[in-house]
Amino acid sequence: MIKLKNLIPAYSRIVSNHPYIVLAIALLITGLALVGSSKVQTESMNYKDMLPDDLEVITALDYINDQYGGSDSATIAIELLPNYKNSDEPRDVRDPKVIAYVNILSEMLLHVDDVTRVTSASTLLKTMNEDILPKDINTVANLTNDNGLFDNYISKDYSMTLIRISLSEDFNEDEIIVDMNKIIEELPVPPGLKVSLAGQTLAMPIVKELLGPDMARTSRVSLIGIVVILLLLFRSVRFGLTPLVTIGVGVIWAFGFIGLIGMGMNSATSGVISMIMGGRY
Amino acid sequence: MGFLESALEGIARFQKKFALPIIIFVIVITVFLGIGIKDISLQTDLSKEMPQDLPIFKLNDKISDTFGGQDTVILLFQIEDSLDKRSITDIRHPYVIQSLIVLEDLLNKESSIDSVTSAASSFRGKYFITTDHVRSILESKPAAQAFFSKDYKATLMYIRADVGSSEAKIKSLAKLVKDNLNTVPGIPGVKITITGNPPMRAVIGTLLSHDAFYTLSLAALIILLLLFVMEKSITKGFLVFAPLLIGLIWTLGTMGWIGIPLSIATAGLGAMVLGLGVEYGVFMLARYKEERDKGNNQEQSLLVAVPSVGGAIFGSGTTTIVGFLALTLSTLPMMQKLGLSLALGITFTLISAIFFAPAIILLEEDFEFWYTHHKHKQIVAKKENHLRNER
């Protein structure tokens, strides 16, 4: 405490005697921090990232990733969405038109980088039917009825079917979404079907895209709120806005450091600007 | 004089007159809110902390509702390095396959499990399985082959169940799998490990509870020690810490009452509230002591300390609260809950520092005054007794 009491007046003397040097140092650090802050990247979160690497549950998962080429998976949902009454649009996902579409989509997905395995109702049907897709709904129904394997791919009301996709370890989450969407967009979808990407693995990159705008919005609101309170408290524009300089510099320094040490921003840390602003100055 | 300052002066006068009732009132509130702490739940489901109105999350929920469990427990059967000659060295060993069949049958009977898939289904209906038989089936069935690692040191079993966000279901699923595993005779030289999202969530739940308690205890201990050193008095250290602790109990209790769970975002909340809120009490006590050292009486000192420090910490606290409340506008529920919890924490520590801290400072001073006089009287009486008895 005694040392601190001596240090603070000493620092005050330096600031009052050499304000421009102190300012230059602060600006230099701020410049470096700005460079560092440009390197900050947003990233997704998953359970594995949240746990220490030496836990048995994680080492087992790492082993599976090594041996089986990843334990992450994605899903494509194909739902019935008929546009017109009495049209020939499929009313049952076991319709050969749907199965044929699922088959082509499954085969195309196998060519996407980082996709290791694709399973769907069509792959199962081919396995059971000597590699031939049934041409009529009755044959499909006969093959799928009372076969528990299809429960994972065809819904009980026959309104939805899934394509399950296994992904390699360290798959590129951004590229895989782009590639899959491209295939879905390019492959003509039979009328009355809706095709969507699903699964937690693909949801996280979508959330990641929201982080930047989200941080900007919360920071803006936080800043406006703080400015209003400071102006009300100090009843002076000059004294009300002066503390904001420290907030701005603090945020830049913090982000610079985060960027320089290579720590990305994720869902759990996305509120950091608002927290710094609200914190102290 | 501004409104805030005059209001704080009024509070200071009230505190001087009703210090004890204020403390009793605070204790009652603390007990009421504190009851909520036991209702704080754990949230380890990362997806529930994400914006549920996004189409992909809605679709995931729909898939989960339609197809049952989207949560997969993976059982890893792995050959261990062993010098024991009885140990199995190839995971395709018939004994392993038979164990897989038995375990798959047992797990399939469990109502909470939606499906179990492993290589076992390819070997059903055979009374006697030989090594050659296993190999020939694997060669003819690529789907079964996919369950085995390339070096035949491991095989997998996938157990699917819909545990959703229920921590109890996660734990009971993990227990169910373990219990069933225990009923299957051990396979010499084969280690069975449970992994996948539900077991990871169970571990996260344990770690979250542990971390929340650990970081809170550590922060409390360090802050308390620093207060003892700074104030050079254990009593004064507790005088600053007590309002902080009250604010923290109110915060955690309110979280329990309004259903804000302990999650990856809020696990460190206790330590954060302690760290952010401690200075309010420090400022209040320091300013009051300063006035008392000048020779002012209790009321005069309070009339200076509460309006001046109260005004300053009110301003500082309000900006902090606004900063944190901005997080409630985030699209991520995780951030919304963190922002709300932190804002609550600062609000409560601020209220506690302005209303409760001066009251407890006065009572402590009164007690010290009474105790010193009481002791003094005792010593004087003892001294007079000694003098009377001419030792």
Side-chain angles (χ1 to χ4, degrees), chain B residues 68-71 73 106-116 159-164 169-170 172-177 180:
Chain B
Q70 292 298 301
D71 302 292
V73 171
L106 283 171
L107 290 169
N108 267 324
K109 283 178 191 160
E110 299 290 350
S111 57
S112 56
I113 289 174
D114 290 327
S115 70
V116 184
I159 302 155
R160 294 177 66 207
D162 190 9
V163 292
K169 276 188 182 177
I170 295 170
S172 81
L173 176 65
K175 188 177 177 298
L176 190 74
V177 173
N180 278 290

Side-chain angles (χ1 to χ4, degrees), chain A residues 89-106:
Chain A
E89 292 168 313
R91 298 295 196 278
D92 186 322
V93 289
R94 295 172 300 173
D95 187 311
K97 276 185 280 187
V98 181
I99 298 293
Y101 172 75
V102 168
N103 182 50
I104 299 171
L105 190 55
S106 302

Side-chain angles (χ1 to χ4, degrees), chain A residues 57 79 152 199 214 278 280, chain B residues 60 62 160 195 276 320 330-331:
Chain A
V57 70
E79 297 170 86
N152 291 329
D214 204 54
R280 291 290 175 267
Chain B
N60 285 347
K62 189 177 176 184
R160 294 177 66 207
T195 187
L276 289 166
T320 308
S330 167
T331 47

Side-chain angles (χ1 to χ4, degrees), chain A residues 71-103:
Chain A
S71 61
D72 287 303
S73 63
T75 308
I76 289 181
I78 296 118
E79 297 170 86
L80 295 179
L81 204 71
N83 296 304
Y84 308 102
K85 278 184 180 176
N86 305 321
S87 65
D88 64 347
E89 292 168 313
R91 298 295 196 278
D92 186 322
V93 289
R94 295 172 300 173
D95 187 311
K97 276 185 280 187
V98 181
I99 298 293
Y101 172 75
V102 168
N103 182 50

